[in-house]
Amino acid sequence: MTTTHGLRPTPWPRRVAAGGVTLLLAAAAAGCSGRGAAEGPHPAQPQARVLAAGPPAPRPVTTTAAPRPPAFAPVVTDRIPTPSVTLPLSAVVPGTTNMQPAAADAFARAFAAARAAGLDPQIRSAWRSAAFQQVLFDRAVARYGSVQAASNWVLPPSRSAHVKGYAVDVHPQAVAAWLEVHGAAFGICRTYANEWWHFEYLATSTCPPRLPTAAG
Ligand SMILES: [Zn+2]
C-alpha cells in the first residue's frame, strides 16, 4: 500500500542539525521507534514547564466539557475465536471458555458487580462450537418448520454471536433484569426483545435498540 506520506515526504525542520537528520534517518532505517533520537534535541522542556508553573494557571473550564464515556476493550464481532479448549460436541462448556478475551473479561466484571449486589449470576450458555450451533439450528428448523422461523430463536453458525464468542445466556431472570440496567457500564447489552436471557458484549456504553428477534 502506498501512503500519502510516501508520495510527498515531509521536509525536515530547518532547526534540526545535519547530524540530527543523519541520526533520525539511521533510526528509521533500522526500524527503530526513534524515541531516543526524538528525546535528544529537547533537553530544555522540563525547565520550561517549571517556569510556566510559576504564576497560577487559569482554571480549566469544566462546565461545558462532555462527560467521558467509559473506555471499553474492542470486540471483533465478525471473528470466530480460535478455541483454546477442545471439547466433545455434546460437552458442557464451562463459564466463558473460548470466548473472545475482551467479552469474557466484561462478563466476569459485570457478574462480580451483580454478586456484590446480592445476586447469583449463572451462565446457561456462552461460547459454542460451529458444529454444535449447527446441531441446535437443525433442531430448531425441524421444530419451527422453516429456516426463517427457526432464525427467530437460533441463528446458523455463521451468524451466531455465541459461535463468535461474545454472547452469554444468563440465568436467573433477576440477573438479566440487573444486566439490562447496569450492563452498559460494562459494554454489555440485551440485543433481542424475545430473549430476556441473551446478552452480548458490544463494547459500547450506549446500547443499540433491541431487535425483535435474532432474525432481525
Ligand atoms: Zn443466546
Side-chain angles (χ1 to χ4, degrees), residues 110-136:
F111 282 7
R115 275 190 289 274
L119 296 167
D120 180 23
Q122 297 161 35
I123 294 177
R124 277 292 163 90
S125 179
W127 175 82
R128 299 174 192 148
S129 70
F132 185 54
Q133 186 72 20
Q134 187 67 53
V135 169
L136 296 179

Side-chain angles (χ1 to χ4, degrees), residues 60-214:
V61 179
T62 56
T63 50
T64 56
R68 279 183 158 219
F72 295 106
V75 63
V76 185
T77 56
D78 61 352
R79 184 175 72 92
I80 296 174
T82 304
S84 58
V85 177
T86 304
L87 296 156
L89 185 64
S90 59
V92 174
V93 180
T96 56
T97 301
N98 288 345
M99 285 182 69
Q100 293 195 34
D105 180 64
F107 276 101
R109 288 186 294 110
F111 282 7
R115 275 190 289 274
L119 296 167
D120 180 23
Q122 297 161 35
I123 294 177
R124 277 292 163 90
S125 179
W127 175 82
R128 299 174 192 148
S129 70
F132 185 54
Q133 186 72 20
Q134 187 67 53
V135 169
L136 296 179
F137 185 67
D138 291 344
R139 281 184 200 158
V141 171
R143 176 177 176 183
Y144 295 105
S146 72
V147 165
Q148 181 60 34
S151 297
N152 287 325
W153 300 99
V154 184
L155 288 173
S158 62
R159 294 171 58 199
S160 171
H162 286 283
V163 174
K164 292 170 181 172
Y166 60 92
V168 170
D169 294 342
V170 306
H171 189 82
Q173 200 156 0
V175 170
W178 186 92
L179 268 181
E180 285 184 24
V181 176
H182 302 284
F186 303 91
I188 293 170
C189 303
R190 177 178 163 186
T191 47
Y192 305 133
N194 69 329
E195 296 187 12
W196 61 259
W197 55 86
H198 179 95
F199 288 81
E200 296 180 8
Y201 174 62
L202 298 179
T204 175
S205 58
T206 307
C207 289
R210 282 177 206 158
L211 297 173
T213 73

Side-chain angles (χ1 to χ4, degrees), residues 29-77:
C32 166
S33 69
R35 189 173 51 199
E39 284 169 357
H42 307 290
Q45 274 192 346
Q47 289 175 6
R49 251 185 240 121
V50 171
L51 289 173
R59 286 182 169 233
V61 179
T62 56
T63 50
T64 56
R68 279 183 158 219
F72 295 106
V75 63
V76 185
T77 56

